[in-house]
């Protein structure tokens, strides 16, 4: 995976836009290296239901499987089909129009360089001229014939059905009774799905984001100004990202333009440092405007101590060259349990993310 991004993510206009390229069919990322989405809000409700149902059903087929969670299935389906967004998903889970990959004839289209002969005579993939992946989890027909499961009780295992496809993906990932709560075994399961290190890294990133979003914040052991900062920041979840947006009074219209050319002038919201500026101002703490400048405030927490050294309310920084604070381009607010409150990038909203969602962890700062 090739990932290039500008050194400034928020709060300061720069004149040189740097494009971001991501290998595979994984969608575009920019302004700090975090992918769009990352919460259950970007998953159609019927698909989310299928993921949760499959996570609960998989033990019937693979009793020794441990650690299957809906974010794992969501991570796979996000990369494979973007959760079938744009399709109609019936109450019984049938997806129309059906989702087909490119014909694997070695033409190079869609990255395929090896011809795969037809196995289903078009039964699942709609063509007898070769093989192509099908459904929201993009199974090859030959794989589907061996692992396809009927999850909705209609006595038919259909890869174009959300429930059937999700359960079958869960069974496939659980092969051999894996413990998916263990990172190494989760990586092995994703590698089995697609033999690509870039693919594994991309799916893991989505799993981490969905996992963070699935956890409800618990502030029962947090008090004082730390609680104020966290409650204020959490109250802004769902507010749009706006490049240059946000001040001590709250959300505001932003400026033009981000490294990818996105303007905040017509969006009332926050960028990353605008959100931290506002949240800390509610606790009577003044911060400078940019992420890099905020790193010089409070007591610095070196990146070498790891994210385990962070405490709720700490600022969390990311840099293009960790160890060189001048390259810091992004900041979030640590919530605890590996999560941060984050205004990630243009096109997203303020939300919860895992602190390891973004590359270039550059430590933190403690002001409270």
């Amino acid at each position: 995976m090739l990932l290039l991004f500008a050194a400034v993510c928020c709060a300061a206009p720069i004149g040189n836009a740097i494009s971001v390229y991501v290998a595979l069919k994984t969608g575009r990322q920019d302004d700090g290296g975090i992918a769009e989405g990352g919460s259950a809000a970007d998953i159609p409700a019927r698909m989310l239901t299928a993921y949760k149902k499959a996570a609960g059903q998989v033990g019937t087929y693979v009793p020794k499987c441990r650690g299957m969670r809906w974010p794992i299935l969501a991570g796979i389906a996000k990369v494979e089909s973007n959760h079938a967004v744009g399709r109609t998903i019936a109450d019984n889970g049938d997806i129309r129009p059906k989702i087909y990959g490119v014909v694997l004839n070695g033409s190079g289209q869609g990255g395929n360089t090896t011809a795969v002969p037809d196995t289903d005579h078009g039964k699942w993939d709609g063509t007898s001229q070769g093989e192509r992946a099908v459904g929201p989890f993009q199974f090859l027909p030959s794989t589907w014939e061996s692992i396809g499961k009927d999850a909705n009780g209609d006595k038919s295992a259909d890869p174009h059905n959300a429930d059937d496809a999700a359960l079958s993906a869960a069974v496939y990932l659980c092969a051999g009774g894996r413990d998916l709560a263990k990172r190494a075994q989760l990586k092995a399961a994703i590698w089995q799905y697609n033999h690509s290190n870039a693919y594994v890294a991309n799916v893991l990133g989505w799993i981490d984001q969905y996992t963070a979003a699935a956890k409800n914040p618990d502030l029962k052991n947090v008090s004082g100004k730390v609680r104020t900062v966290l409650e204020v920041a959490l109250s802004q979840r769902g507010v749009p990202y706006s490049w240059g947006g946000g001040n001590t009074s709250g959300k505001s219209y932003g400026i033009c333009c981000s490294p990818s050319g996105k303007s905040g002038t017509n969006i009332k919201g926050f960028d990353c440092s605008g959100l931290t500026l506002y949240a800390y101002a509610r606790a009577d703490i003044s911060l400078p405007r940019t992420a890099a400048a905020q790193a010089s405030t409070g007591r610095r927490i070196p990146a070498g101590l790891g994210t385990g050294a962070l405490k709720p309310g700490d600022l969390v920084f990311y840099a293009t060259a960790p160890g060189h604070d001048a390259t810091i381009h992004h900041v979030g607010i640590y919530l605890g349990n590996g999560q941060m409150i984050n205004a990630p990038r243009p096109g997203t909203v303020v939300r919860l993310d895992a602190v390891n969602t973004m590359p270039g962890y550059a430590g933190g700062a403690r002001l409270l």
Side-chain angles (χ1 to χ4, degrees), residues 184-336:
Q185 294 191 39
L186 177 59
K187 287 182 177 180
I190 300 169
W191 173 266
Q192 174 184 296
Y193 211 95
N194 187 324
H195 294 180
S196 161
N197 287 325
Y199 179 89
V200 171
N202 191 40
V203 170
L204 283 173
W206 284 110
I207 291 171
D208 289 341
Q209 289 189 57
Y210 290 128
T211 298
K215 295 178 180 177
N216 292 320
D218 181 2
L219 303 182
K220 65 182 180 182
N221 295 320
V222 180
S223 60
K225 288 189 174 183
V226 173
R227 190 182 185 98
T228 298
V229 168
L230 296 179
E231 287 182 339
V232 169
L234 286 168
S235 73
Q236 302 308 305
R237 282 183 294 176
V239 172
Y241 182 101
S242 176
W243 178 264
N247 53 46
T248 56
S249 298
K251 60 186 178 183
S252 69
Y253 290 101
I255 60 177
C256 186
C257 285
S258 77
S260 61
K262 305 290 179 63
S263 175
T265 55
N266 295 318
I267 303 172
K268 192 172 185 179
F270 294 99
D271 65 12
C272 64
S273 56
L275 176 65
T276 56
L277 184 75
Y278 172 61
Y280 274 86
R282 298 303 91 194
D284 299 319
I285 296 174
S286 297
L287 291 178
R289 185 57 179 83
T290 66
Q294 289 179 5
S296 66
T297 60
R299 180 167 71 84
R300 198 74 166 86
I301 303 168
L305 296 179
T307 58
L310 296 171
K311 292 184 177 180
D314 289 347
L315 294 175
V316 187
F317 300 108
Y318 300 86
T320 54
H324 300 277
D325 282 3
T327 70
I328 287 175
H329 59 80
H330 194 82
V331 60
I333 301 174
Y334 188 65
L335 180 62

Side-chain angles (χ1 to χ4, degrees), residues 92-96 98-100 123-125 134-139 144-145 147-169:
N92 71 347
D94 286 343
I95 298 170
R96 299 294 183 271
K98 296 178 179 180
I99 302 172
Y100 296 117
K123 176 183 178 181
W124 299 120
D125 63 5
V134 295
F137 284 86
Q138 290 290 278
F139 285 105
W144 183 259
E145 288 294 344
I147 61 96
K149 299 291 183 285
D150 171 24
N152 64 359
D154 64 359
K155 299 182 180 180
S156 173
D158 185 347
H160 300 286
N161 178 275
D163 295 328
D164 295 356
L167 175 58
S168 300

Side-chain angles (χ1 to χ4, degrees), residues 116-141:
V116 179
D118 175 65
T119 62
D120 68 333
H121 305 292
K123 176 183 178 181
W124 299 120
D125 63 5
T127 178
S128 59
Q129 303 306 306
E131 202 87 324
R132 57 181 177 177
V134 295
F137 284 86
Q138 290 290 278
F139 285 105
L140 287 177

